[in-house]
Amino acid sequence: MPALAMLPRWGFAEDAAAGYAKAAIDWKQFAGQTITLAGAIHPWSNAITPLLWDFTKLTGITVSTDFRLETTYLGALPIQLNRGSSTPDVFMFTTYGQGISAGWLEPLNGYYSDKSLTDLGWYDEGDLLKTARAFPLWSDRERYAVPITSEAVTLFVNGDALAAKNLPVPKTFEDLLVTAKAVKGNEMSGIAMRAQAGGNSSVPAMSFLFSYGGHMVKDGKAAFASPEAIAAIEMYGQLLSQAGPVGIGSYEWYHVLDDFLQGKTAIAIDSSNFATDISNPAKSRVSRQAVFAAFPHPAGQAPIPFMSHWQACINSKSRNKRAAFLFLLWATSKATSLQTAAAGLATTRLSAWSSDGFKKAFGAQAAAAALTNLQNADVDRAKAVLFHPQSRPILDAFMIGVNEVVSGAKSAKIAMTAAAEKANAVIRG
């Protein structure tokens, strides 16, 4: 049985090897080097780790990994980079603006144009999602990162819970509030979303703000004291205070996911990457009745869910930059992406998203919903806050305000006005 179980993996590896052979690249040019890859314990790290031996076999480059819990990793990495450490060589990254302004990130345009390193025809950037092509571009059109995943905020619904009340999947925020309150009971909350007072919890709330027509950052300043932003967070607060679970103020993404998997909430709103766990009957009690849908919107307005791409960057102090770039090229190629997609990873490539392996692992309905939400997203609104040099304190201030609204400590107007003032004080220095 173990030998039989390996057959599909061998077949996949053989197909991938044929794909790499088509590239006009000397894959062995850095044989003998070792690079360190750091990141969060995440669907990407889980999907790429089993393939690292294939990369070493192809290139002769050894990859040493350092994957940690996300909060631990995001706290430790800036300290390490700020000390000027030459490792990690390659790392998962989110605070793009901070990294560029601090000089931590290696510019990559020159590597893409180096014909001894890159075969652009083989790499086929036209196969990348539109958002993935636009996301890493800095204001000077330089690229300092390579997108490695794709996600957009998505609506998850326990179909049985809504069917019991004869309710359809809500499309507007107004319908969402009515539905969440109607299905809330002693054993099940109506809706769960992140509300912890920290920037890492900001993703769903930003989706509300964008969809109401607001901006997190506009003209370089925090803009979440606008009438649109206040209306968005007022709705966010109503949903969670009136239909959310007990203790919602401490909820991070893993609390939201766990509640939905266990059937403890009827509705959840969070990253499209939840789909792999939700669709997995070994992890999910609601795998059969789960519904994946487009992000809601205010009546008469279009939805604008938050979207993002986790990115991987090269350390500007790395001693193995060219080997590191070859790794990124391999990791995001069509051949590798087809393999990681078959493990359920939402990659950056259209070919992978349309593959049978991805649809089977991720779920066809979930894939369709995620693509819809990616297409409805506004890359520039997301980049304005994510790429700001002070993105972390901006997001922290925002979510402290959101938490105050959810807990009932302050009105949306008072909380978001104070939050924007705090963020702008940081920006002004």
Side-chain angles (χ1 to χ4, degrees), residues 152-155 272 293-296 303-307 368-378:
V153 172
T154 294
L155 176 66
S272 51
F295 184 74
I304 306 178
F306 177 83
M307 59 69 56
L371 271 177
T372 294
N373 291 319
L374 280 166
Q375 290 163 350
N376 287 339
D378 185 332

Side-chain angles (χ1 to χ4, degrees), residues 33-257:
Q33 293 190 17
T34 297
I35 60 172
T36 301
L37 170 64
I41 297 172
H42 178 275
W44 183 78
S45 55
N46 292 340
I48 204 70
T49 297
L51 306 181
L52 294 178
W53 185 85
D54 293 341
F55 174 73
T56 298
K57 184 178 179 182
L58 175 70
T59 64
I61 300 168
T62 301
V63 182
S64 174
T65 60
D66 180 13
F67 295 128
R68 312 182 196 183
L69 290 173
E70 186 171 320
T71 51
T72 303
Y73 171 70
L74 292 176
L77 181 67
I79 297 171
Q80 190 172 359
L81 295 175
N82 201 43
R83 289 173 178 164
S85 174
S86 62
T87 59
D89 299 284
V90 181
F91 49 88
M92 294 171 64
F93 203 61
T94 56
T95 50
Y96 204 46
Q98 179 191 25
I100 293 171
S101 62
W104 298 339
L105 312 184
E106 178 75 1
L108 300 180
N109 280 0
Y111 294 83
Y112 278 102
S113 61
D114 185 340
K115 292 184 179 179
S116 68
L117 264 183
T118 308
D119 180 348
L120 288 177
W122 169 81
Y123 188 68
D124 189 8
E125 290 185 290
D127 182 50
L128 294 172
L129 292 167
K130 180 177 67 175
T131 53
R133 294 197 301 272
F135 200 71
L137 292 177
W138 193 239
S139 55
D140 60 0
R141 310 302 289 177
E142 179 64 79
R143 286 179 283 191
Y144 295 83
V146 178
I148 54 176
T149 67
S150 305
E151 57 188 298
V153 172
T154 294
L155 176 66
F156 306 101
V157 173
N158 183 323
D160 286 359
L162 267 63
K165 298 282 187 177
N166 199 29
L167 292 167
V169 174
K171 294 184 178 180
T172 67
F173 290 128
E174 294 80 5
D175 291 340
L176 181 65
L177 180 59
V178 170
T179 302
K181 290 168 66 175
V183 297
K184 179 178 171 64
N186 293 331
E187 303 297 325
M188 178 183 285
S189 67
I191 187 168
M193 298 185 288
R194 305 186 210 186
Q196 197 176 92
N200 201 46
S201 294
S202 60
V203 167
M206 285 195 288
S207 300
F208 277 66
L209 185 151
F210 292 162
S211 296
Y212 271 83
H215 296 259
M216 285 291 291
V217 172
K218 193 171 185 179
D219 300 324
K221 298 177 182 178
F224 37 82
S226 68
E228 296 85 0
I230 290 167
I233 302 311
E234 184 174 13
M235 172 60 77
Y236 200 82
Q238 286 179 356
L239 279 160
L240 292 181
S241 62
Q242 296 177 28
V246 174
I248 185 63
S250 65
Y251 266 51
E252 239 293 352
W253 66 264
Y254 41 87
H255 300 107
V256 177
L257 176 58

Side-chain angles (χ1 to χ4, degrees), residues 298-340:
Q301 293 180 245
I304 306 178
F306 177 83
M307 59 69 56
S308 183
H309 297 281
W310 262 99
Q311 303 197 96
C313 304
I314 295 175
N315 186 346
S316 63
K317 301 295 193 296
S318 168
R319 300 187 182 98
N320 305 296
K321 294 175 185 176
R322 287 166 64 80
F325 183 79
L326 198 66
F327 169 79
L328 289 179
L329 206 68
W330 167 85
T332 57
S333 66
K334 280 185 178 182
T336 305
S337 295
L338 282 172
Q339 294 183 85
T340 54

